[in-house]
């Protein structure tokens, strides 16, 4: 088992996946009625192959149905809604041919949620958070319909992270104090854990715009699989990797500027998250 895990880890680093994992995922996706729990578990256990990420995320997030026979019909409906929204914001002259794609999708989303004409409905930071998610997904997927619908549903996942944000921040400090009290105290002194500061922003957007897209999707695989605590382990690896520089930093802005887009940090974070057998059972008092 250890040898197989070593091979799987090495293959993932170079962009390859084991035959067993591919076969397992293909079988799950080919079932007439897909098993939602098993699909989520695959996301939690492995890095999803690039070619199958769009379909897998769409099924898990509810964009596409578990029943394979209903796929074409539901896709037609999703496409029709997308085209109606695009047509509407175009006719209303909120967008034109020069509008960036990310802005187009955000405008459509605002219209669908009744906020385009009534911007005071809902928290204003939601607009920016949705935009950050869209920008990442546009780099991952080629199909705009797929991108829009996944963005909508993934944004809903980030709202769950937002609801748990205080507990996640408490867990962050609990784990960091076990490993490095000095680093924790320095971050606390700078106000990193305060409401509205960078840690909260990073958690709520699941590090969109902070980590490179190719590395970030590995984290979002886990979030689609149902993990929320993965963001904690990403942050811990970031600050531990940059510890020496952070300890001489005197502002949250300085810390933000230190964070480099490094895929190795993500690999370390996932490894730590997977090896920490008790992370799902940790409770914060």
């Amino acid at each position: 088992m250890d040898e197989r895990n070593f091979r799987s880890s090495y293959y993932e680093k170079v962009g390859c996946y084991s035959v067993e994992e591919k076969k397992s995922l293909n079988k799950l996706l080919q079932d007439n009625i897909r098993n939602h729990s098993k699909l989520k578990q695959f996301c939690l256990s492995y890095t999803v192959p690039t070619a199958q990420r769009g379909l897998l995320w769409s099924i898990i997030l509810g964009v596409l149905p578990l029943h394979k026979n209903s796929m074409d019909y539901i896709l037609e409906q999703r496409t029709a809604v997308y085209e109606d929204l695009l047509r509407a914001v175009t006719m209303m002259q909120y967008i034109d041919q020069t509008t960036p794609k990310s802005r187009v999708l955000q405008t459509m989303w605002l219209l669908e949620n009744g906020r385009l004409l009534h911007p005071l409905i809902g928290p204003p930071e939601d607009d920016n958070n949705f935009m950050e998610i869209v920008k990442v997904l546009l780099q991952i997927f080629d199909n705009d319909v797929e991108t829009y619908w996944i963005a909508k549903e993934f944004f809903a996942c980030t709202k769950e992270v937002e609801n748990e944000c205080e507990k996640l921040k408490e867990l962050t400090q609990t784990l960091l104090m076990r490993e490095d009290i000095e680093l924790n105290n320095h971050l606390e002194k700078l106000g990193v854990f305060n409401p509205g500061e960078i840690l909260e922003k990073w958690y709520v957007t699941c590090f969109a715009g902070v980590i490179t897209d190719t590395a970030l999707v590995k984290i979002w695989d886990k979030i689609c699989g149902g993990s929320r605590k993965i963001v904690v382990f990403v942050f811990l690896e970031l600050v531990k990797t940059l510890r020496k520089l952070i300890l001489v930093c005197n502002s949250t802005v300085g810390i933000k500027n230190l964070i480099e887009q490094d895929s190795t940090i993500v690999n370390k974070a996932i490894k730590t998250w997977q090896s920490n057998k008790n992370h799902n059972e940790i409770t914060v008092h």
Side-chain angles (χ1 to χ4, degrees), residues 173-218:
Q173 287 199 268
T174 299
L175 295 176
L176 188 56
M177 283 190 289
R178 290 179 187 176
E179 296 187 44
D180 195 328
I181 294 178
E182 183 184 7
L183 182 57
N184 175 79
N185 291 344
H186 183 67
L187 292 172
E188 190 171 39
K189 182 180 178 181
L190 294 180
V192 169
F193 303 111
N194 292 345
E197 282 295 345
I198 55 173
L199 181 61
E200 191 170 292
K201 168 71 173 177
W202 288 344
Y203 280 7
V204 171
T205 59
C206 300
F207 292 95
V210 180
I211 300 171
T212 55
D213 302 336
T214 52
L216 187 62
V217 291
K218 297 179 182 180

Side-chain angles (χ1 to χ4, degrees), residues 14-285:
V14 297
C16 301
Y17 305 90
S18 76
V19 174
E20 293 87 352
E21 289 162 17
K22 276 191 171 183
K23 284 183 177 179
S24 175
L25 180 56
N26 285 334
K27 185 179 185 303
L28 289 172
L29 292 174
Q30 291 303 317
D31 287 343
N32 288 328
I33 302 178
R34 283 83 164 229
N35 188 309
H36 194 254
S37 296
K38 289 183 178 180
L39 291 176
K40 291 177 70 175
Q41 187 58 49
F42 187 94
C43 282
L44 292 174
S45 302
Y46 308 107
T47 294
V48 179
T50 302
Q52 293 160 308
R53 182 169 279 120
L55 176 58
L56 182 55
W57 284 14
S58 292
I59 295 171
I60 289 175
L61 295 175
V63 175
L64 294 176
L66 293 174
H67 289 72
K68 190 176 178 181
N69 293 338
S70 303
M71 285 274 291
D72 291 343
Y73 172 75
I74 296 299
L75 184 56
E76 286 177 7
Q77 299 303 305
R78 301 299 192 205
T79 303
V81 170
Y82 174 91
E83 291 175 347
D84 286 345
L85 289 169
L86 180 58
R87 188 180 306 109
V89 294
T90 303
M91 292 181 66
M92 296 165 72
Q93 298 184 346
Y94 278 96
I95 66 165
D96 57 33
Q97 292 182 345
T98 65
T99 307
K101 185 64 65 66
S102 57
R103 179 66 64 186
V104 172
L105 298 186
Q106 183 197 46
T107 305
M108 292 165 56
W109 176 74
L110 290 171
L111 177 63
E112 187 175 13
N113 286 276
R115 295 182 55 201
L116 187 59
L117 302 179
H118 305 282
L120 296 181
I121 298 176
E125 59 269 18
D126 280 0
D127 299 357
N128 295 328
N129 293 345
F130 184 80
M131 175 69 87
E132 292 294 335
I133 291 168
V134 166
K135 286 179 178 178
V136 172
L137 294 177
L138 284 170
Q139 300 302 313
I140 300 172
F141 303 120
D142 297 325
N143 186 297
D144 291 342
V145 176
E146 178 182 60
T147 300
Y148 177 72
W149 281 94
I150 289 179
K152 280 180 52 178
E153 299 307 325
F154 190 83
F155 176 78
C157 290
T158 67
K159 295 300 286 184
E160 294 178 14
V161 175
E162 183 177 358
N163 292 336
E164 298 178 19
C165 202
E166 285 306 312
K167 291 183 179 179
L168 292 171
K169 288 194 291 183
E170 289 178 24
L171 175 59
T172 303
Q173 287 199 268
T174 299
L175 295 176
L176 188 56
M177 283 190 289
R178 290 179 187 176
E179 296 187 44
D180 195 328
I181 294 178
E182 183 184 7
L183 182 57
N184 175 79
N185 291 344
H186 183 67
L187 292 172
E188 190 171 39
K189 182 180 178 181
L190 294 180
V192 169
F193 303 111
N194 292 345
E197 282 295 345
I198 55 173
L199 181 61
E200 191 170 292
K201 168 71 173 177
W202 288 344
Y203 280 7
V204 171
T205 59
C206 300
F207 292 95
V210 180
I211 300 171
T212 55
D213 302 336
T214 52
L216 187 62
V217 291
K218 297 179 182 180
I219 297 301
W220 287 13
D221 283 341
K222 311 310 174 193
I223 292 171
C224 287
S227 173
R228 302 293 176 259
K229 293 185 176 75
I230 185 67
V231 296
V232 172
F233 291 89
V234 173
F235 176 74
L236 292 176
E237 286 300 331
L238 285 169
V239 295
K240 286 190 293 183
T241 301
L242 301 170
R243 182 182 189 277
K244 291 182 180 179
L245 295 173
I246 288 174
L247 287 176
V248 296
C249 197
N250 58 12
S251 70
T252 55
V253 174
I255 290 176
K256 183 178 180 180
N257 293 335
L258 281 176
I259 301 301
E260 299 175 353
Q261 300 191 3
D262 187 346
S263 62
T264 61
I265 292 176
V266 169
N267 292 333
K268 289 179 183 177
I270 292 175
K271 184 177 180 181
T272 305
W273 168 77
Q274 289 177 331
S275 63
N276 189 334
K277 296 179 181 179
N278 297 319
H279 77 273
N280 284 323
E281 287 72 43
I282 292 174
T283 55
V284 180
H285 304 284

